[in-house]
Amino acid sequence: MSDDDTVPADVEHEAEIPEDHPRYQDLLSRHRIEEGIEKGITHLQGMHAEGRGSAFDYLLGEETIESADEAERAAAAHLLLAEKPVLSINGNVAALVPEKMVELAAVVDADLEVNLFNRTPERMQAIADHLRDHGAEDVKGLEADARIPNLDHQRAKVDADGIYAADVVLVPLEDGDRAEALEAMGKTEIVIDLNPLSRSPQVADVPIVDNILRAVPNMADHARDLADADAAELRAIVEAFDREAALEAAEERIRNGL
Ligand code: ATP
């Protein structure tokens, strides 16, 4: 990754990162996470998660592989079929793709809910404000008037009319305990995570092994393409998706470059 030498270490604004740089997406993500930490929306541990993700993305070839594209289409179909879809936002998600999450929520008519591993009232508020600055109208998560069963107190907090009541939830970059607890509640769970062996994609109904920077806009594109599809067509897409095959294809690409 020595190409990074050509970019100043202290980039003031992301526009200074040349788009034709071979490590552009990686540099952009690092910059956004750093900025998120400075703004108080991302926890310092978010940089560690980002580093791990970036190593997997490097091995994936920093592209959306075919099985991930299929997963993103199946995820879009699930969200369009849902009665009550909710998109969960943590500090990394808010730093990396705030406007893309707002856009996806609008396309599939979902709610956005802030949900943090390291929850403080200040960070909750800062993320809600950040999402509103990027076009969100209603942001859930601040009420915290319901609990996910079988999780410790802080991580269990959700809104009764948000994640608690959702039938389909998108949980990007989620920690394994919460992903397992949400699955146990019987929700249809869509996970975006670059590590196919992490517990969250392992328990997901739709594991998306792709960088969130690429996955979210691609899901919105698929949802727009499917906007006129009827329920039978959407259900057929959902049923044709094979979660085991998607996980295996991603692992195969990472381990063997195939
Ligand atoms: P588990 O508890 O499920 O084993 P973990 O401890 O590996 O999970 P965390 O550190 O809580 O997971 O979450 C970070 C996860 O998000 C990692 O698996 C990492 O690969 C992934 N990740 C980080 N950045 C991105 C990104 N930009 N796009 C997609 N996934 C990412």
Side-chain angles (χ1 to χ4, degrees), residues 31-32 46 53 72 93 100-101 143 146 171 175 209 221-222:
H31 176 71
R32 288 188 182 171
E72 284 152 16
V93 176
K100 297 294 176 192
M101 288 298 279
E143 293 283 329
V171 281
D175 91 282
V209 184
D221 284 348
H222 278 304

Side-chain angles (χ1 to χ4, degrees), residues 49-50 52-53 173 175-176 193-195 198-200 210-212:
E50 168 57 28
R52 193 151 24 158
L173 286 51
D175 91 282
D193 195 315
L194 279 158
N195 178 3
S198 190
R199 275 179 304 157
S200 318
D210 197 8
N211 194 317
I212 193 170

